[in-house]
Amino acid sequence: MDISWDDARLFLAIAETGSFSGAARRLRIGQPTVSRRLAALEYAVGAALFRRSVDGAALTAAGERWVVPAKKMAEWAGELHRAAEATDNSPRGIVRVTATPYLSADFLAPFAAFVARKHPGLRLEVQSQVQYLDLGRGEADLALRARPPTTPDLKRVDTLDVVNGVFVSRELKARLSRKVTLQQLPWVAWAPPFDTVPPNPQLESLIPGFTPSFTADNYLVLLAAAEAGLGAMVLPRMPHRFKRATRLVPLELDLGPFARSQTHLVCARSALDIPRVRRVSELLVEEFQRIRVG
């Protein structure tokens, strides 16, 4: 029988998110549609691909055999999509950029406004993610990441060195000792399931018995808590020209080996063949250079 790309994509979404609801969010369809389409697929192939439970959906033995071929199909579908779009020579349309919640809110959102003014035919879709999206499959066009690519299908376009700092509200700073240490600060940090996301592990290595004073699973909530004086946050000191006024001020504290980090602009190797993706990539590289020269 013929397996369509839509069926393979549905299967992968369930397999990788571990639930029908997660697959529905990824595919931007309703959960009943996911259930109905999977039932039709399993009927067509004559085998159950998942075991349903209150904890989600787990692969059956038959489903396990589908994973590698479905991933290859996804990679080639992304490649085919990029090849088809490369024939359009004008930089217009939607470019999907994925980044951390901080970079999405602080940099990419105002950068998108700049792009819209400069190129009215271009529109950015910012995908704020803690987890990395699969660029090879076309889940996003460009990514700003803390780690460089390690697979041959991805390309590092540019890298920006960033200084990290400790920030608190003005009110909290006024209450602190002039010689406050990292260990003495109250901290605002990620809550589960993101408690392994930076800077939590770094703070745990610097501060014995690290216990945040406030946690949340949403960056904007963390930022609001820090601005309200609940604790300190580690944030990049990224002096881009779109910077908005903030209620946070820096503390001159040494973060040791974590005082510096990198932001990498990454894409699938063939993505830059698409004019709109190439143009946004060029604009991001120009902004990186502006930041370097100060």
Side-chain angles (χ1 to χ4, degrees):
M1 66 171 293
D2 292 330
I3 304 297
S4 71
W5 165 230
D6 282 344
D7 287 338
R9 183 167 57 176
L10 175 79
F11 167 80
L12 274 178
I14 301 170
E16 292 177 344
T17 63
S19 69
F20 287 11
S21 58
R25 286 191 296 273
R26 175 180 290 190
L27 299 175
R28 300 182 181 181
I29 59 178
Q31 187 171 331
T33 302
V34 171
S35 300
R36 184 176 67 253
R37 285 176 51 188
L38 177 63
L41 176 60
E42 290 179 323
Y43 178 81
V45 300
L49 302 174
F50 295 94
R51 291 187 299 274
R52 286 81 159 167
S53 73
V54 294
D55 297 323
L59 288 163
T60 63
E64 292 280 2
R65 292 193 293 271
W66 275 50
V67 173
V68 172
K71 285 184 176 180
K72 290 181 178 179
M73 191 175 184
E75 291 166 2
W76 279 108
E79 195 69 24
L80 181 62
H81 179 73
R82 288 188 289 271
E85 293 197 323
T87 60
D88 184 353
N89 294 321
S90 58
R92 54 189 173 83
I94 298 174
V95 177
R96 297 161 301 155
V97 187
T98 180
T100 63
Y102 167 78
L103 284 173
S104 297
D106 181 77
F107 175 64
L108 284 178
F111 171 76
F114 162 74
V115 172
R117 290 191 298 269
K118 190 175 183 68
H119 295 284
L122 276 176
R123 181 164 70 85
L124 260 62
E125 178 180 286
V126 176
Q127 301 182 1
S128 173
Q129 297 280 344
V130 171
Q131 301 91 346
Y132 283 0
L133 297 182
D134 194 322
L135 301 178
R137 295 187 202 171
E139 293 180 355
D141 300 307
L142 298 166
L144 297 180
R145 293 180 170 174
R147 297 194 300 270
T150 57
T151 56
D153 60 320
L154 299 183
K155 174 183 176 64
R156 181 181 60 83
V157 180
D158 198 4
T159 297
L160 180 68
D161 291 318
V162 179
V163 175
N164 298 316
V166 178
F167 290 81
V168 297
S169 70
R170 294 181 186 276
E171 295 80 7
L172 178 56
K173 184 176 182 179
R175 300 198 304 266
L176 296 173
S177 163
R178 289 182 178 273
K179 296 183 179 180
V180 68
T181 65
L182 294 176
Q183 292 79 4
Q184 293 169 335
L185 282 173
W187 287 96
V188 168
W190 287 107
F194 303 134
D195 48 338
T196 58
V197 172
N200 284 38
Q202 290 78 6
L203 291 173
E204 288 171 1
S205 69
L206 292 170
I207 303 171
F210 174 68
T211 304
S213 61
F214 178 86
T215 58
D217 62 355
N218 181 285
Y219 165 73
L220 294 179
V221 176
L222 293 174
L223 184 62
E227 290 181 337
L230 272 174
M233 285 184 77
V234 175
L235 295 171
R237 295 189 179 190
M238 191 173 171
H240 57 81
R241 59 181 173 145
F242 311 119
K243 206 77 174 177
R244 295 178 297 172
T246 176
R247 295 172 58 189
L248 299 179
V249 293
L251 295 178
E252 298 306 320
L253 290 172
D254 184 12
L255 287 170
F258 311 115
R260 302 189 73 88
S261 61
Q262 292 183 317
T263 296
H264 304 277
L265 174 58
V266 181
C267 67
R269 288 196 171 274
S270 58
L272 297 184
D273 294 335
I274 303 171
R276 67 173 184 274
V277 177
R278 183 171 62 250
R279 184 61 187 134
V280 172
S281 173
E282 291 168 349
L283 292 172
L284 284 168
V285 170
E286 290 174 11
E287 292 305 321
F288 277 19
Q289 185 57 27
R290 282 177 180 270
I291 294 169
R292 291 188 189 100
V293 301

